[in-house]
Amino acid sequence: MLKNFSNVTQRLRRLSSQELDVSGTFQSFLIDLLDEGKLTLDVTRVSVWLFDDLDKPSELINVANTDWQGDELPMQLPALKYENFPAYFSAINSGQSINANDAAADPRTSEFQECYLTPNHIVTMLDTVIFKNGIPHGVVCCEGNNGVRTWHKDEIAFAEMIADCCSRRLLVKELWQLQQQLTDMAFKDPLTGLSNRRFLMDNAKREISRHARFDHPFSMMMLDIDQFKNINDNHGHETGDLVLKSFAEICVNTLRLEDCMCRLGGEEFIVLLPNTPVNSAMVIAERLRREIELAVISTPSGEIAITSSFGVAEVNTNLPFGHSLKAVDHAVYQAKAAGRNCVILAQ
């Protein structure tokens, strides 16, 4: 029986209400709850196991464990297969807590005796179900090695609260992942994986403000793949898409980490070059032009070589971004008129 049940539940409620970063591993944002359970229930370990599939589960995967140090995870997460532990899976799917006072004798957990209980000296288990939309999603497993134990109703209730707290955090993580997906859909080009025009315009405003405030140099370049229409006409749009993806990879691998490359549309791309004077931007553009010229892109239609025309401009931080965008676009037009596959500085 838990002493001061009200106090420990209040502590758990406060703990579960804390703001956490759910972008990392399950271990990183569940371990505080598991540590609290281990301390309060005085057990050997506490772990979280989640079903691989909510509709037709075939495995339980161990995603967090008080035995693991910090955020370090095993090379391969432990897993339990339904076919090996049918009674245990059935008990979890019933939604009822498994208060196995004597784990080796309890029919719900006796399947673990030879493979786990005896080798690890585990005598008693208290497993409480994690729900998602009212359906069992996994389990919080509390294990003890201090002899047979009769689990008191307050201990079971506390363990169920831990499972509910885990459930809420898992929901927050799922919502965060959905938000990330929506953000990617809004600001990323689905073909190349680069940021899109919408992101470019928003990011350019922020960068202009930052560079103006600190009086740092800010440059940009525009790239246009030469004769790209001929690739689509001669080899088909699927090959054209493959060329665009390969082109984006070449550029990203050549540019600096701090540079921001976006797909403006079609075969046109923009690169923002933060803290970069325009003479350095010309050097970067020329290096990238050579990398593109030397590259050979393998496609189902054969190997394709491409070139690109460049415009480079210093971003005027005293004017709207559209002004600099128009200047660099005109420089690309001049590069095309000059025979393509060259770099022109905007005047």
Side-chain angles (χ1 to χ4, degrees):
M1 177 179 179
L2 290 179
K3 294 181 179 180
N4 299 319
F5 180 70
S6 177
N7 289 343
V8 296
T9 55
Q10 285 295 326
R11 189 167 68 240
L12 181 61
R13 290 178 65 199
R14 291 177 186 274
L15 185 67
S16 65
S17 70
Q18 293 177 358
E19 186 173 331
L20 291 172
D21 178 12
V22 296
S23 63
T25 63
F26 292 110
Q27 173 81 0
S28 65
F29 69 89
L30 293 178
I31 191 60
D32 58 337
L33 298 177
L34 305 192
D35 284 338
E36 180 68 19
K38 180 181 177 182
L39 176 66
T40 302
L41 294 172
D42 189 24
V43 292
T44 306
R45 72 177 54 84
V46 181
S47 54
V48 170
W49 300 72
L50 299 178
F51 282 131
D52 59 335
D53 188 297
L54 203 59
D55 295 324
K56 293 182 178 180
S58 62
E59 283 187 332
L60 272 170
I61 302 170
N62 187 194
V63 298
N65 196 311
T66 54
D67 282 352
W68 301 343
Q69 298 299 316
D71 292 341
E72 294 184 10
L73 303 179
M75 291 290 291
Q76 184 171 355
L77 294 177
L80 303 175
K81 292 187 178 296
Y82 179 90
E83 59 194 37
N84 296 330
F85 307 99
Y88 183 67
F89 272 70
S90 296
I92 294 171
N93 282 321
S94 74
Q96 299 297 315
S97 295
I98 303 172
N99 53 326
N101 303 329
D102 183 347
D106 193 301
R108 298 168 295 182
T109 54
S110 59
E111 297 164 326
F112 294 104
Q113 183 170 0
E114 293 185 5
C115 65
Y116 184 75
L117 299 179
T118 300
N120 293 279
H121 310 291
I122 300 302
V123 180
T124 186
M125 294 173 64
L126 174 58
D127 291 9
T128 50
V129 177
I130 298 171
F131 292 99
K132 179 180 179 182
N133 297 324
I135 300 173
H137 180 36
V139 65
V140 175
C141 181
C142 305
E143 307 168 17
N145 60 7
N146 291 324
V148 174
R149 175 173 176 174
T150 300
W151 295 100
H152 189 272
K153 64 178 182 179
D154 288 348
E155 294 173 324
I156 297 172
F158 183 76
E160 289 173 344
M161 286 186 63
I162 292 177
D164 289 343
C165 291
C166 290
S167 178
R168 285 193 289 272
R169 287 193 180 176
L170 292 169
L171 177 60
V172 171
K173 183 178 180 68
E174 186 174 284
L175 292 174
W176 176 84
Q177 290 173 330
L178 178 60
Q179 184 180 38
Q180 293 301 112
Q181 292 173 4
L182 293 174
T183 300
D184 286 347
M185 290 173 63
F187 293 106
K188 280 195 175 181
D189 171 49
L191 176 63
T192 63
L194 298 174
S195 298
N196 60 15
R197 184 188 183 98
R198 180 177 178 181
F199 177 87
L200 169 69
M201 304 309 288
D202 288 349
N203 188 52
K205 289 179 182 178
R206 291 191 296 269
E207 287 297 304
I208 285 174
S209 176
R210 182 173 69 87
H211 283 78
R213 187 165 63 252
F214 297 105
D215 195 27
H216 289 167
F218 185 23
S219 299
M220 64 185 291
M221 67 171 92
M222 178 182 285
L223 305 72
D224 191 303
I225 301 176
D226 296 327
Q227 307 287 7
F228 183 73
K229 184 176 182 299
N230 291 343
I231 296 175
N232 280 333
D233 291 344
N234 296 332
H235 302 285
H237 287 277
E238 287 188 6
T239 297
D241 287 349
L242 183 57
V243 169
L244 287 171
K245 290 172 67 176
S246 299
F247 174 83
E249 290 175 4
I250 294 166
C251 293
V252 170
N253 291 335
T254 304
L255 293 167
R256 306 166 301 179
L257 290 176
E258 63 267 29
D259 300 331
C260 176
M261 183 172 181
C262 306
R263 186 182 180 192
L264 194 61
E267 64 272 25
E268 291 184 330
F269 300 81
I270 289 285
V271 181
L272 300 181
L273 304 165
N275 303 313
T276 305
V278 73
N279 59 329
S280 297
M282 289 290 290
V283 173
I284 295 170
E286 179 58 30
R287 182 170 67 245
L288 182 55
R289 185 199 66 78
R290 289 198 302 271
E291 289 295 326
I292 294 169
E293 182 182 35
L294 293 172
V296 176
I297 300 173
S298 297
T299 76
S301 301
E303 293 185 337
I304 295 178
I306 58 173
T307 60
S308 188
S309 298
F310 288 71
V312 175
E314 181 179 6
V315 177
N316 190 331
T317 57
N318 296 315
L319 294 173
F321 180 63
H323 180 273
S324 300
L325 192 60
K326 184 179 295 185
V328 78
D329 182 55
H330 183 65
V332 170
Y333 177 80
Q334 291 179 308
K336 296 285 188 183
R340 301 183 178 87
N341 191 27
C342 60
V343 180
I344 297 293
L345 175 65
Q347 301 301 315

